[in-house]
Amino acid sequence: MRELSQLIGVDEPAWPELRETLDASPVSVEVLPPDGDVGGVSILQLQVTARSYLGAVVLHCGGLVVDDGWLRVFGSPSSGAEHGLAGLARVNQFRGTFDPAWRPETGLVVAHDVLGGVFALNGAAPADADRPGAPGEVVYFAPDSLRWEALGVGHSTWLAWLVSGALDEFYADLRWPGWEKEVRALNSNQGLTVFPPLWSAEARQDISATSRRAVPMRELLGVARDSCRQFDGVDPGFLGAV
């Protein structure tokens, strides 16, 4: 178990490099102000160093609002911040104080998209949680298939990828003309529910013909989890607490 000073007092911390990557992004990236105390407790709980992108985000960033708000990457936001984005510790239900025996059971939720998609970092035994991919790999819960998908990369590569402009291709079948305006109108605790549902044949045929409305993210994630249980008899597990 490493002390906080060992985790943050590292050679070649990742934040300067990551900040350059964010500033050079071809898509909009809002970097939210951090709470240093929360960041310190979080990085201690995670036992990752500031040399990693995960450690850099948790320690130096209140979160990232990417591509007009389509994607929200969780960090350590300052309390009462204007944007109101939930922090990584809250989303993953960290203990109130450092607990060396505690770890996320199924993996670490690192981001949500506005459709209820979930990006998570696999834990030590993903197969035990019925998730694909290797330990430490980023996986995605796709709201159009109600399945976890392995992305084949770790956290640092994933983070660089999502601000590279690749989201247009990744979400090509899930975006409609004018999506930017609808997404910008949401607050940080809301997502978009789609009818007919994203996994239906109608939505797959023409996403622009669906109707959409703002709902709490908590509701959106709950419906997705319930749908998995109902249609497949499979529980996708923890999708994040918002």
Side-chain angles (χ1 to χ4, degrees), residues 45-91:
Q45 187 66 65
L46 292 169
Q47 287 290 295
V48 298
T49 75
R51 191 179 291 115
S52 68
Y53 274 17
L54 178 59
V57 169
V58 169
L59 195 61
H60 297 288
C61 176
L64 303 174
V65 181
V66 181
D67 215 358
D68 292 299
W70 182 275
L71 190 68
R72 301 146 185 178
V73 180
F74 304 116
S76 301
S78 56
S79 59
E82 180 178 352
H83 199 283
L85 184 67
L88 186 81
R90 174 182 154 192
V91 169

Side-chain angles (χ1 to χ4, degrees), residues 75-110:
S76 301
S78 56
S79 59
E82 180 178 352
H83 199 283
L85 184 67
L88 186 81
R90 174 182 154 192
V91 169
N92 289 280
Q93 299 181 320
F94 282 19
R95 302 293 187 259
T97 57
F98 172 61
D99 180 354
W102 183 84
R103 291 288 182 276
E105 289 185 9
T106 56
L108 187 74
V109 175
V110 292

Side-chain angles (χ1 to χ4, degrees), residues 15-238:
W15 180 244
E17 174 189 312
L18 176 55
R19 186 66 209 228
E20 287 185 7
T21 300
L22 299 177
D23 290 343
S25 173
V27 298
S28 64
V29 180
E30 183 181 358
V31 181
L32 304 180
D35 183 316
D37 292 337
V38 173
V41 172
S42 296
I43 202 172
L44 183 63
Q45 187 66 65
L46 292 169
Q47 287 290 295
V48 298
T49 75
R51 191 179 291 115
S52 68
Y53 274 17
L54 178 59
V57 169
V58 169
L59 195 61
H60 297 288
C61 176
L64 303 174
V65 181
V66 181
D67 215 358
D68 292 299
W70 182 275
L71 190 68
R72 301 146 185 178
V73 180
F74 304 116
S76 301
S78 56
S79 59
E82 180 178 352
H83 199 283
L85 184 67
L88 186 81
R90 174 182 154 192
V91 169
N92 289 280
Q93 299 181 320
F94 282 19
R95 302 293 187 259
T97 57
F98 172 61
D99 180 354
W102 183 84
R103 291 288 182 276
E105 289 185 9
T106 56
L108 187 74
V109 175
V110 292
H112 287 154
D113 65 42
V114 295
L115 298 180
V118 181
F119 292 93
L121 191 61
N122 268 342
D128 292 346
D130 293 323
R131 293 188 179 177
E137 184 176 340
V138 178
V139 293
Y140 176 65
F141 178 76
D144 57 329
S145 67
L146 302 179
R147 296 283 192 280
W148 286 101
E149 302 171 357
L151 300 186
V153 296
H155 181 271
S156 295
T157 301
W158 165 77
L159 190 53
W161 166 81
L162 68 86
V163 299
S164 70
L167 293 184
D168 277 340
E169 180 179 355
F170 187 75
Y171 288 108
D173 295 331
L174 296 176
R175 285 179 168 177
W176 55 93
W179 64 266
E180 298 94 337
K181 182 178 180 180
E182 292 182 46
V183 171
R184 289 191 201 110
L186 302 174
N187 67 43
S188 61
N189 295 315
Q190 291 179 315
L192 290 171
T193 186
V194 177
F195 186 83
L198 290 171
W199 42 261
S200 68
E202 294 87 350
R204 290 174 184 270
Q205 183 176 3
D206 185 4
I207 185 67
S208 64
T210 61
S211 62
R212 298 164 297 276
R213 63 183 177 89
V215 296
M217 279 297 297
R218 177 176 60 254
E219 177 182 327
L220 192 59
L221 297 173
V223 169
R225 192 170 181 179
D226 288 344
S227 296
C228 283
R229 292 165 171 158
Q230 178 181 353
F231 297 125
D232 297 330
V234 175
D235 188 346
F238 182 67

